[in-house]
Amino acid sequence: MSAAGRLPGSVDVAIVGSGPNGAAYARILSEQAPGSRIAMFEVGPTVTEPPGAHVKNLVDPAAQAAAERRSQGPSADAATLSSPAAVVAGRRQARPGTFLLPDGFAFDGEDGLPAVAMSSNVGGMGAHWTCACPRPGGSERIPYLPGLDELLTDAERVLGVTATALEDAPFAELIRRRLSAAIDDGRSPATRVQPMPLAVHRRADGQLVWSGSDVVMGEVTRSNPHFTLYDEALVTRVVVEQGRAAAVEVRDLRSNEVSTVRASFVVVAADALRTPQLLWASGIRPAALGRYLNDQAQVVYAARISGADTTIEPPAAGAISQHSGVSWIPFTDELPYHGQVMQLDASPVPLADDDPVVPGSIVGLGLFCAKELRWDDRLEFADDRTDSYGMPAIRVHYKLTEHDHRTLDQARDEIVRMAKAIGEPLGDVPITLPLGASLHYQGTTRMGESDDGTSVCGPDSEVWSVSGLFVAGNNVIPTSTAANPTLTSVALAIRGARRIARELRAEGAQP
């Protein structure tokens, strides 16, 4: 332990952030370099048991709400809304478990990201996500990365991904059959309507368990005597010595004491906003830092299933029913959006009042649109102004292009066609959610094939300008995507973790 209290004096690997990507580094290192000393630092508190579990696994609604409030960082006492569509009505409130930028999210002449959000808790956004894990396709894939499919397969292993968790959902086949008849023509078999791969499993008692960082870490990490998770620990700087990451400075938020923790390797997995923020605060400022920021503009709609018997008894104790399952419409380069279809009472975006709602009878549809990548879509950091954690304040510069608007128009037309195929559309027109509502921010520490000034890190996620420093998260993805990005970012984290494990073994850090 360091003189400052509970934090260590030195480790082999320091991981900043406890979301699925930081957890993937801890998992692979525990498997492939089991003797290495690993410290994980998380700015937020532990809100579940086991640490990092998905809050949807908390059966008690009051316990779930309490965990979500504690995840909201500086906005723990702020009111939240279950629908990001509320921003459309002029209310700017975060979804449960998250908090918004207080300012700096938009500037004159730009679209900005008014719904851009973060969470601060053990497990990060992995405690609150929808667990959708589709594989990237077409131009979403990273063309210069060898072995991508094997990495994606291993990411499915650590995330616990399956396409069969909801295979018994009684309306799923009906919905997919209707959607397929409407949109599958001309699509390749791999891009036709199909069950959504989900990071979900069903226990022997029938209870669904949603994957959080606890599942990613697995028992191999939890039982690793050389791994320690430090919650309420804010990393304020990566220390660089002679061009190599050498330590992290950590403020213990319980005691307010500051420690310098020496490390052979540093992994920053603090989300797409705070990872580049930490690099900036550390004086690590490559030209591409914060650049190529991209979100997935989202169009949502709802339909009532028509012409079918939907009179199924609701589940006991108010649990979410799974009558409609979750269906997937894969991205294609010709149709540059990705579709997610689920029953409304399982959707994070309630769109209709239906009293009473017959479980599974109202289906929510969402299309995520790929963004045209631009250098000028970026995060900026203030050297003279700080956020609630004392870190450089974040400013967002973001604008939709004419191409982006055409994609959105196409998605609006397509989602209406999909709703009509399912049954009776609800509402006059689909809703285009405020930018940032997807929570799928990417590109701000993007990967590149070579150090040509347009990327922050190389194919192993090591920062070009600082050896031993790795970045992780959706922010590493260099391509424009429409699919949920977590599976891809975890695959990239696995590649980076394998690289560190190889170097630790070569350096003799293992017994």
Side-chain angles (χ1 to χ4, degrees):
M1 300 291 284
S2 69
R6 67 183 177 120
L7 302 181
S10 66
V11 294
D12 294 309
V13 185
I15 301 173
V16 184
S18 64
N21 290 281
Y25 269 86
R27 168 74 167 266
I28 298 303
L29 289 168
S30 294
E31 290 176 344
Q32 299 190 7
S36 59
R37 297 166 299 154
I38 308 165
M40 177 179 284
F41 303 100
E42 167 58 52
V43 67
T46 300
V47 301
T48 58
E49 182 57 45
H54 200 300
V55 298
K56 285 173 71 172
N57 298 331
L58 298 173
V59 177
D60 180 9
Q64 181 174 327
E68 290 171 338
R69 283 195 302 273
R70 296 185 67 209
S71 301
Q72 291 165 198
S75 301
D77 296 325
T80 58
L81 292 165
S82 60
S83 173
V87 182
V88 175
R91 290 176 294 170
R92 189 170 174 270
Q93 292 178 249
R95 277 179 276 183
T98 72
F99 60 96
L100 303 172
L101 281 183
D103 51 37
F105 51 83
F107 292 89
D108 290 344
E110 300 175 355
D111 296 293
L113 292 178
V116 68
M118 299 163 277
S119 62
S120 289
N121 54 274
V122 172
M125 201 66 78
H128 313 285
W129 67 315
T130 61
C131 294
C133 289
R135 287 197 175 206
S139 59
E140 293 181 309
R141 293 172 61 87
I142 304 169
Y144 52 80
L145 199 66
L148 178 58
D149 287 321
E150 186 274 329
L151 291 169
L152 292 168
T153 296
D154 208 24
E156 289 167 343
R157 173 183 70 93
V158 302
L159 282 161
V161 175
T162 176
T164 61
L166 306 180
E167 62 183 349
D168 295 331
F171 304 145
E173 183 180 353
L174 170 67
I175 290 169
R176 285 195 278 273
R177 186 169 66 247
R178 292 182 176 183
L179 286 173
S180 294
I183 67 176
D184 274 356
D185 187 40
R187 285 176 170 258
S188 67
T191 62
R192 292 173 185 162
V193 176
Q194 57 195 273
M196 176 69 78
L198 296 169
V200 179
H201 68 274
R202 193 177 294 277
R203 295 192 321 220
D205 63 1
Q207 180 70 35
L208 287 175
V209 179
W210 303 80
S211 294
S213 288
D214 63 323
V215 171
V216 178
M217 289 185 194
E219 188 57 34
V220 67
T221 306
R222 283 189 291 274
S223 63
N224 182 355
H226 305 292
F227 169 78
T228 308
L229 167 63
Y230 299 92
D231 64 356
E232 299 179 85
L234 170 66
V235 175
T236 58
R237 187 165 76 98
V238 177
V239 178
V240 179
E241 297 175 355
Q242 299 180 332
R244 184 174 181 86
V248 291
E249 289 186 358
V250 189
R251 179 156 57 92
D252 186 340
L253 298 184
R254 298 180 186 178
S255 65
N256 212 34
E257 295 178 306
V258 177
S259 298
T260 297
V261 180
R262 306 288 299 181
S264 299
F265 297 90
V266 175
V267 178
V268 183
D271 77 36
L273 280 72
R274 289 176 285 185
T275 292
Q277 179 191 51
L278 177 57
L279 267 60
W280 180 272
S282 306
I284 304 167
R285 302 177 180 183
L289 186 71
R291 299 278 181 171
Y292 296 105
L293 169 67
N294 69 96
D295 175 43
Q296 297 169 347
Q298 189 176 0
V299 178
V300 295
Y301 206 23
R304 188 192 312 272
I305 299 173
S306 62
D309 181 7
T310 57
T311 56
I312 296 179
E313 287 297 316
I320 292 175
S321 59
Q322 303 296 330
H323 298 324
S324 298
V326 182
S327 297
W328 174 30
I329 298 93
F331 164 94
T332 69
D333 291 326
E334 297 74 27
L335 301 171
Y337 37 76
H338 143 88
Q340 188 167 314
V341 180
M342 64 182 78
Q343 67 203 57
L344 196 64
D345 50 350
S347 168
V349 186
L351 299 175
D353 292 322
D354 188 69
D355 189 16
V357 173
V358 176
S361 65
I362 307 292
V363 179
L365 304 95
L367 291 179
F368 296 83
C369 300
K371 173 78 169 72
E372 186 174 36
L373 300 183
R374 300 192 323 133
W375 172 267
D376 287 336
D377 291 327
R378 68 196 186 277
L379 302 176
E380 289 184 346
F381 305 99
D383 284 322
D384 59 352
R385 188 173 178 183
T386 59
D387 64 13
S388 57
Y389 290 109
M391 299 295 286
I394 299 171
R395 297 290 178 264
V396 177
H397 293 278
Y398 194 80
K399 191 171 183 178
L400 296 181
T401 67
E402 290 184 7
H403 178 273
D404 297 331
H405 283 292
R406 287 196 299 270
T407 301
L408 271 168
D409 287 342
Q410 186 178 10
R412 293 185 191 104
D413 290 341
E414 183 70 2
I415 205 168
V416 171
R417 193 162 72 92
M418 291 165 54
K420 289 179 178 178
I422 289 172
E424 173 195 352
L426 301 177
D428 296 331
V429 294
I431 294 174
T432 302
L433 296 185
L435 296 177
S438 78
L439 307 178
H440 295 168
Y441 324 124
Q442 299 166 60
T444 54
T445 62
R446 71 198 303 255
M447 175 183 289
E449 187 174 15
S450 62
D451 186 9
D452 61 0
T454 66
S455 60
V456 172
C457 67
D460 289 333
S461 300
E462 186 177 31
V463 174
W464 291 117
S465 57
V466 181
S467 61
L469 174 60
F470 291 71
V471 284
N474 297 338
N475 36 284
V476 176
I477 299 172
T479 54
S480 177
T481 73
N484 309 66
T486 302
L487 182 71
T488 298
S489 62
V490 169
L492 301 182
I494 289 171
R495 180 180 169 94
R498 290 176 181 176
R499 159 80 182 280
I500 294 175
R502 288 196 301 271
E503 294 200 16
L504 286 170
R505 293 194 301 267
E507 292 171 3
Q510 302 304 293

